[in-house]
Amino acid sequence: MLLFRKASKLKAMDPFQKMLLVVMTAGAIFMLLPIFYIFNHALKPYHELFLYPPTIFVRQPTLQNLQELLNITKNSIVPISRYLFNSVVVSAATVVLVTIISALCAYPISKHQFPGHKLFFGTILLSLMFAPETVAIPRYLVAVNLGLNNQYFGHILPHLAAPVGVFLLKQFIDQIPKELFEAAKVDGANEHVLFARIVLPMVGPAIATVAIITFQGVWGDTQTSTLFMQDEAMKTFPFFLNTLTSNLANNVARQGAAAVAALILFLPNFLFFLFFQRKVIQTMAHSGIK
Amino acid sequence: MPKNEVVVNPQKIERHVIGNSRLQELIKTIYKYRISYLYIAPFTLCFLAFIFIPIVMAFGLSFTYYNAIEPPRFIGWKNFQNLLSQDLIFLQHSLPNTFKFALFVGPGGYILSFLLAWLIAQLPNKARTWYALAFYTPSLTGTIAMGIVWLPLLAGDRIGYLNSFLMKFGFIDSPILWVQDKAYLMGSMIGVTLWSSMGIGFLAMLAGVLNVNQELYEAGRLDGIKSRLQEIWYITIPSMKPQMLFGAVMAIVGTLKSGEIGTTLSGSFPTPEYSAHVIISSIDDYSGVRYELGYASAISVFLLLIMFAANRFSIKLFGTKEDE
């Protein structure tokens, strides 16, 4: 039955869509190769890890790499679970705070004509263009003066200054028709209600996009750990992974552990994207007004 | 004029009153919008602390000699003078390489991500997530993917996938050093960057395409739009100008920021004969290797000015007239 429905759907497509589907599928498979590779790589026994050219699919899957990773921190003071815990706490807090703060900030810039809003938006636009690598030293000085060393806030606060999120949300809020706000105001809604009942639901897709970008940025970030955290117990998982792989270029030891660590680092990114992107597309499909 | 009569200038009083009332008016409007300011406050504070103040400090540092050990010493415009007149590596390699790279990758990646976003939007509803995921993968996997997909593909010996393919079909006689030869490194770099350029801009554009009011297409059809190309040109692009602008800004920033790709591909820093040395590589070189932080700041200020100019241009193209 299901097969029949699918076949009839295929027939319903015009030639353009059919051709498109073929081309896109070929492209998509090529693009997806790294994902298959990461999963398989983590399961490879040592003699397969070093094959050249590398094989994508594993022949004799094994879990020994995972065991190796767990054993590394057995004798050290900070266990691997602590790094993971730090990463999870920091990422969750950052994603929630960034989406709220960016949306709060984007709404007035887009819809209120408060004095200075053009200047403010111009500054944000300008700040999108700065390479953060170059401001690492001044940023360090600021963080130290704010007393953020070895604090969870030291991981979170630098990420909250995310002009990309504000910019993106502002662009979406621009597309909400003014009449909607006026109508709500006539019905007696104040600014908080407008924000919670109109802005947030209407820009759901954009918020999901901001959440994806933010999560990706903060989950993989090593900069805050390197710069602001001297206490080993406050550092995050990607930093740990870096210490694992930094001297490994020509080294055989721990390559298996690194392969599993790469998978652990990648997996949440993957799931987060999958979940939120689905939401994005669902919201798009159902929102009639836009 | 009698001595004890106070001279009064009526115009002056009037101006004073007007000035005063203007100030009062401004305070009144600011008070009226107090909720707006409350809303932007949390972001503004973080922005000031972690972007604005560091940038101002970087501008300040660009006029100094600073090696991270001694306190910065003010040397005026000297960094900029050296940059534009004496730094041969910068003038002969970084600058032209950056422009070459940006010229291909910026517009190329931009058009590609719009095209892919549009194509994905044409697909049936359920398949979309998967295709979106597939094309976003390179940004998700980042440098992990670089090593495992591109290095074997571009490897310089016979085993390298690209070489063995080209030799099998007789296009070339001997293997080409795709990432070590200075003649090919830039090309490889452009290819790989295009592959991974479906990032934030692509997601925003996908959201934008899906966001276009479907009724507009129906109205367009009634008004005599025939082909899909016309639909894109007259309806899709104008309705998603904000996302197009965002994509353009992200493309420019991403292009000018990405520099480590040449290093990852060729496995050496600086890249062979500086063939993939871009402005960002110069900054890394001076700040990370030579500890001339003042000079590195000057280069980054220069880079900022280039980005600024490029972005003014894209805003001219895509900005909405009402509140640009």
Side-chain angles (χ1 to χ4, degrees):
Chain A
M1 187 66 199
L2 190 77
L3 205 75
F4 174 74
R5 264 225 317 263
K6 267 196 181 154
S8 69
K9 232 184 212 171
L10 261 179
K11 266 181 205 155
M13 283 200 246
D14 53 49
F16 170 79
Q17 272 190 315
K18 275 183 200 163
M19 205 177 73
L20 179 69
L21 211 60
V22 173
V23 175
M24 295 291 277
T25 309
I29 289 172
F30 177 68
M31 295 298 228
L32 280 171
L33 280 182
I35 292 189
F36 292 119
Y37 185 87
I38 290 172
F39 277 99
N40 282 287
H41 201 59
L43 296 172
K44 282 178 187 169
Y46 259 70
H47 61 270
E48 277 188 48
L49 279 174
F50 294 98
L51 283 182
Y52 198 90
T55 52
I56 289 177
F57 294 105
V58 57
R59 285 173 206 151
Q60 298 165 311
T62 161
L63 285 176
Q64 74 183 42
N65 293 335
L66 183 64
Q67 213 150 30
E68 189 188 333
L69 179 69
L70 295 178
N71 282 342
I72 285 177
T73 53
K74 219 173 197 174
N75 299 321
S76 60
I77 314 156
V78 185
I80 184 172
S81 53
R82 172 79 198 204
Y83 294 110
L84 267 175
F85 172 79
N86 287 346
S87 271
V88 170
V89 168
V90 168
S91 308
T94 308
V95 169
V96 171
L97 286 174
V98 164
T99 44
I100 294 175
I101 287 179
S102 308
L104 271 178
C105 181
Y107 167 53
I109 300 179
S110 174
K111 292 295 175 204
H112 296 174
Q113 303 291 313
F114 64 88
H117 76 281
K118 274 187 188 169
L119 180 77
F120 191 65
F121 184 61
T123 319
I124 288 176
L125 203 60
L126 195 67
S127 69
L128 280 177
M129 308 160 205
F130 205 77
E133 289 84 356
T134 52
V135 294
I137 297 143
R139 272 186 144 183
Y140 171 76
L141 297 175
V142 170
V144 170
N145 283 318
L146 291 175
L148 294 175
N149 282 48
N150 298 324
Q151 302 275 328
Y152 279 116
F153 274 118
H155 284 299
I156 298 168
L157 286 181
H159 285 287
L160 295 190
V164 173
V166 176
F167 184 77
L168 186 59
L169 283 165
K170 189 252 173 197
Q171 300 292 71
F172 268 84
I173 296 173
D174 278 351
Q175 287 176 323
I176 304 178
K178 266 186 193 142
E179 294 76 26
L180 214 59
F181 290 97
E182 279 153 18
K185 264 185 206 157
V186 171
D187 289 344
N190 64 20
E191 289 298 335
H192 307 300
V193 175
L194 289 182
F195 178 71
R197 301 288 288 279
I198 297 180
V199 175
L200 284 184
M202 295 283 279
V203 296
I207 286 182
T209 310
V210 171
I212 292 172
I213 309 166
T214 311
F215 183 78
Q216 215 182 317
V218 64
W219 179 255
D221 182 51
T222 53
Q223 214 190 12
T224 51
S225 291
T226 322
L227 286 179
F228 310 142
M229 304 296 141
Q230 284 77 42
D231 185 354
E232 194 63 27
M234 287 301 294
K235 296 186 172 184
T236 54
F237 188 71
F239 182 85
F240 170 71
L241 180 63
N242 257 11
T243 59
L244 213 62
T245 50
S246 58
N247 299 318
L248 274 188
N250 302 308
N251 202 342
V252 178
R254 287 187 178 176
Q255 284 286 8
V260 176
L263 175 67
I264 300 179
L265 196 59
F266 168 72
L267 207 56
N269 254 342
F270 176 68
L271 296 176
F272 202 87
F273 176 83
L274 213 57
F275 178 73
F276 274 89
Q277 185 58 22
R278 186 159 288 229
K279 283 256 172 262
V280 171
I281 286 169
Q282 273 171 1
T283 333
M284 301 289 180
H286 294 300
S287 63
I289 187 149
K290 283 175 223 173
Chain B
M1 199 184 284
K3 253 185 195 172
N4 47 3
E5 200 176 309
V6 182
V7 184
V8 177
N9 183 349
Q11 268 182 328
K12 214 173 182 177
I13 292 179
E14 206 174 311
R15 226 182 290 151
H16 183 72
V17 170
I18 287 175
N20 218 6
S21 71
R22 263 195 200 149
L23 191 71
Q24 274 177 341
E25 202 104 299
L26 185 68
I27 291 172
K28 243 187 210 163
T29 21
I30 286 180
Y31 185 72
K32 197 178 117 200
Y33 284 110
R34 62 195 180 280
I35 292 179
S36 313
Y37 290 104
L38 185 73
Y39 273 31
I40 65 169
F43 176 80
T44 311
L45 291 178
C46 295
F47 179 84
L48 283 177
F50 290 99
I51 295 182
F52 189 75
I53 292 173
I55 286 180
V56 171
M57 284 166 89
F59 262 92
L61 283 178
S62 70
F63 293 101
T64 62
Y65 174 82
Y66 183 36
N67 55 15
I69 303 164
E70 303 161 47
R73 180 158 46 83
F74 183 77
I75 54 167
W77 290 96
K78 218 165 166 210
N79 282 331
F80 291 96
Q81 276 169 12
N82 286 342
L83 182 66
L84 294 176
S85 62
Q86 308 206 321
D87 190 339
L88 286 181
I89 292 173
F90 181 79
L91 293 173
Q92 287 182 350
H93 299 288
S94 302
L95 210 52
N97 279 345
T98 304
F99 276 116
K100 204 163 41 169
F101 182 69
L103 215 59
F104 282 100
V105 173
Y110 182 62
I111 293 167
L112 211 62
S113 52
F114 172 73
L115 219 62
L116 278 172
W118 186 80
L119 287 175
I120 287 176
Q122 308 305 307
L123 291 170
N125 249 331
K126 278 188 183 159
R128 272 183 208 151
T129 313
W130 297 102
Y131 284 93
L133 171 73
F135 289 99
Y136 190 64
T137 304
S139 322
L140 272 175
T141 49
T143 45
I144 311 173
M146 195 73 64
I148 60 188
V149 177
W150 290 99
L151 288 183
L153 191 69
L154 296 173
D157 48 22
R158 281 163 186 282
I159 307 172
Y161 291 131
L162 189 57
N163 275 334
S164 67
F165 175 79
L166 290 177
M167 282 164 76
K168 203 163 140 194
F169 289 94
F171 289 112
I172 50 173
D173 299 324
S174 55
I176 291 176
L177 294 166
W178 293 108
V179 292
Q180 265 85 38
D181 193 329
K182 63 170 184 159
Y184 297 105
L185 179 57
M186 183 49 97
S188 308
M189 207 169 137
I190 290 172
V192 175
T193 314
L194 278 180
W195 169 77
S196 60
S197 62
M198 305 304 126
I200 314 168
F202 164 70
L203 285 187
M205 283 199 221
L206 180 60
V209 176
L210 291 171
N211 224 357
V212 176
N213 194 341
Q214 292 301 317
E215 283 163 21
L216 281 178
Y217 290 115
E218 281 160 32
R221 240 164 266 146
L222 289 180
D223 285 346
I225 284 182
K226 284 171 205 121
S227 66
R228 283 182 200 262
L229 278 179
Q230 280 184 327
E231 258 183 15
I232 296 179
W233 189 251
Y234 290 112
I235 297 174
T236 315
I237 292 180
S239 333
M240 51 177 287
K241 265 194 170 181
Q243 284 82 14
M244 297 295 279
L245 173 61
F246 179 74
V249 171
M250 287 339 281
I252 292 165
V253 178
T255 309
L256 292 173
K257 263 187 192 173
S258 61
E260 75 282 24
I261 266 184
T263 313
T264 320
L265 282 178
S266 66
S268 62
F269 184 84
T271 46
E273 292 183 54
Y274 294 104
S275 54
H277 210 64
V278 289
I279 297 182
I280 272 288
S281 326
S282 279
I283 296 174
D284 285 348
D285 190 15
Y286 281 103
S287 66
V289 180
R290 306 185 202 201
Y291 287 102
E292 290 186 31
L293 302 175
Y295 192 64
S297 299
I299 303 178
S300 54
V301 167
F302 188 77
L303 181 62
L304 178 70
L305 294 178
I306 295 178
M307 287 181 175
F308 182 65
N311 276 296
R312 290 309 301 178
F313 178 70
S314 64
I315 289 170
K316 277 243 164 70
L317 275 181
F318 296 110
T320 40
K321 275 178 199 114
E322 183 198 5
D323 56 0
E324 184 286 293

